[in-house]
Amino acid sequence: KAADVGADLSGKVIGLKGGKKLDEDSPYNPAVIADNVGDNVGDVAGMGSDLFGSLGEASCAAMLIGSSVVEITEVGWAALVYPLYISSIGALVCLVLHFLATDIMPVKKEADIETVLKIQLIGTSLLMTGVMYPVTVGFLPETMTIQGVPRPVTSDNVYGCVLFGLWAGCAIGFITEYFTSHTYRPVRDVAKSCETGAATGIIYGLALGYLSSVLPVALIAGAIYFCVKTTGMYGVAVGSIGMLSTLATCLTIDV
């Protein structure tokens, strides 16, 4: 973080002689190497390991809960490792959709980057939606008895939980972009508020941060409620994996 702030200060505040300012990533900026190293450590190594750790924990939890369902244990390993199918298929789908940005819709100018990445994220979610149905119906038992759910749970119910988590995660990604991208109004308003001093910038930024969390929290709460009502805790577990299934694409967009 110190390198990030230092690159900004040395380039945009101090600058060069004659009042010329430097971009954060300018090769003439002495802090740019440390800044880029810090970005990679924070974004790729730090956030990547954290999110993939969450994916591993969710997968283990889902398999542990699945082992308590009699019908799943009767089918055997093919049904027990169903949570791993979600994450592994998600990685393959992200790999296939990677060619969308490199070959099918190649980026020709800077303005195309944001559009292509958005299409790639939506395309990944759409492909996962289609692929996961035959996998869910094919490997899970047709009906299951899950503790806490008063009626028989079907494989379609499990698929619905995966779907809810998948699209809730996709929506959260777009909401995050809206509140953090300079393309949209919130960030521009924060920048404008700083024109009247640091105090207004801090107050407005803090308020916007609180506001930006309302919809993601509502989506997560809605996903939990839907999954618990339809499939119990097993639904919550597979729904969380569905939310993380497009992780590879999301990390690529961030980097």
Side-chain angles (χ1 to χ4, degrees):
K1 203 68 223 169
D4 188 10
V5 175
D8 276 334
L9 290 176
S10 63
K12 297 176 182 176
V13 178
I14 301 172
L16 298 176
K17 292 181 180 179
K20 183 180 179 182
K21 304 301 181 182
L22 294 174
D23 291 333
E24 183 180 0
D25 294 325
S26 171
Y28 298 102
N29 192 334
V32 69
I33 296 176
D35 178 36
N36 287 336
V37 170
D39 285 343
N40 278 285
V41 170
D43 292 339
V44 181
M47 187 180 66
S49 60
D50 180 39
L51 290 174
F52 277 108
S54 300
L55 186 62
E57 293 163 4
S59 300
C60 291
M63 288 189 290
L64 186 62
I65 297 171
S67 65
S68 65
V69 180
V70 176
E71 291 83 357
I72 290 179
T73 55
E74 287 177 351
V75 172
W77 280 102
L80 188 62
V81 297
Y82 169 76
L84 297 182
Y85 299 152
I86 305 173
S87 53
S88 57
I89 291 173
L92 292 174
V93 167
C94 291
L95 180 62
V96 170
L97 265 293
H98 167 73
F99 293 103
L100 183 69
T102 57
D103 298 286
I104 301 173
M105 293 181 63
V107 176
K108 297 180 181 178
K109 57 182 183 293
E110 186 177 349
D112 294 339
I113 297 175
E114 189 174 343
T115 303
V116 172
L117 290 177
K118 285 180 183 178
I119 294 174
Q120 187 174 349
L121 180 57
I122 294 175
T124 304
S125 300
L126 285 172
L127 190 55
M128 275 293 293
T129 300
V131 170
M132 282 311 302
Y133 183 75
V135 172
T136 304
V137 174
F139 286 100
L140 288 179
E142 188 175 344
T143 58
M144 295 163 276
T145 303
I146 296 179
Q147 186 178 2
V149 184
R151 53 170 182 74
V153 175
T154 66
S155 56
D156 287 340
N157 294 140
V158 179
Y159 173 69
C161 293
V162 176
L163 221 59
F164 206 124
L166 172 68
W167 284 102
C170 182
I172 290 172
F174 283 105
I175 293 168
T176 303
E177 183 187 6
Y178 174 75
F179 281 101
T180 56
S181 173
H182 189 261
T183 305
Y184 303 102
R185 182 177 174 181
V187 175
R188 294 178 182 270
D189 286 345
V190 172
K192 188 176 180 181
S193 69
C194 294
E195 293 177 357
T196 55
T200 52
I202 293 171
I203 294 170
Y204 194 94
L206 185 62
L208 188 64
Y210 289 145
L211 179 64
S212 67
S213 64
V214 173
L215 284 177
V217 169
L219 284 169
I220 293 173
I224 293 173
Y225 179 80
F226 174 82
C227 294
V228 169
K229 282 294 184 181
T230 57
T231 320
M233 289 305 297
Y234 186 68
V236 176
V238 296
S240 66
I241 302 174
M243 189 174 288
L244 294 170
S245 61
T246 57
L247 188 61
T249 297
C250 295
L251 281 177
T252 304
I253 290 174
D254 182 76
V255 175

